Amino acid sequence: MELSLTTQAVTLLNSSNTPVIIIPNNPTTDALAAALALLVVLEKKGKSVRIVSPEFSMPPGHGFLPKSDAIQHDLSSLQNFIVSVNVAKTKLETLSY
């Protein structure tokens, strides 16, 4: 039985100790609020969450959002970074790091 994408995402988030949320450099208000809300929820579940955007600059008037100061510009504080890719149905042609 195939799991829905939502179920897969929840399963992966529950099994991860240090999930990383990546946001675009110029996120919409909705994207920024959603990422920060996910950060808060995962922290309440005891996760050590990182939220990252390499060239992020807080849009004017958005500094009031909870945890908005938690957005980092890099992942240099992490020693190991693991990316899980399910290739059961789609072939992985190229992967680089």
Side-chain angles (χ1 to χ4, degrees), residues 12 15-20 22 75 78-85 95:
L12 287 171
S15 65
S16 174
N17 294 323
T18 310
V20 176
I22 302 172
L75 294 172
L78 296 178
Q79 292 181 357
N80 294 313
F81 186 70
I82 300 169
V83 176
S84 298
V85 180
L95 179 64

Side-chain angles (χ1 to χ4, degrees), residues 23-38 51 56-66 68 71:
I23 59 174
N25 293 335
N26 297 308
T28 64
T29 298
D30 288 344
L32 181 58
L36 293 170
L38 181 58
I51 186 165
F56 176 77
S57 177
M58 183 62 70
H62 287 71
F64 71 92
L65 291 168
S68 60
I71 300 170

Side-chain angles (χ1 to χ4, degrees), residues 60-96:
H62 287 71
F64 71 92
L65 291 168
K67 303 294 258 178
S68 60
D69 59 339
I71 300 170
Q72 301 175 357
H73 291 100
D74 61 48
L75 294 172
S76 61
S77 62
L78 296 178
Q79 292 181 357
N80 294 313
F81 186 70
I82 300 169
V83 176
S84 298
V85 180
N86 182 346
V87 294
K89 292 192 175 195
T90 305
K91 290 183 181 181
L92 183 63
E93 294 180 17
T94 304
L95 179 64
S96 61

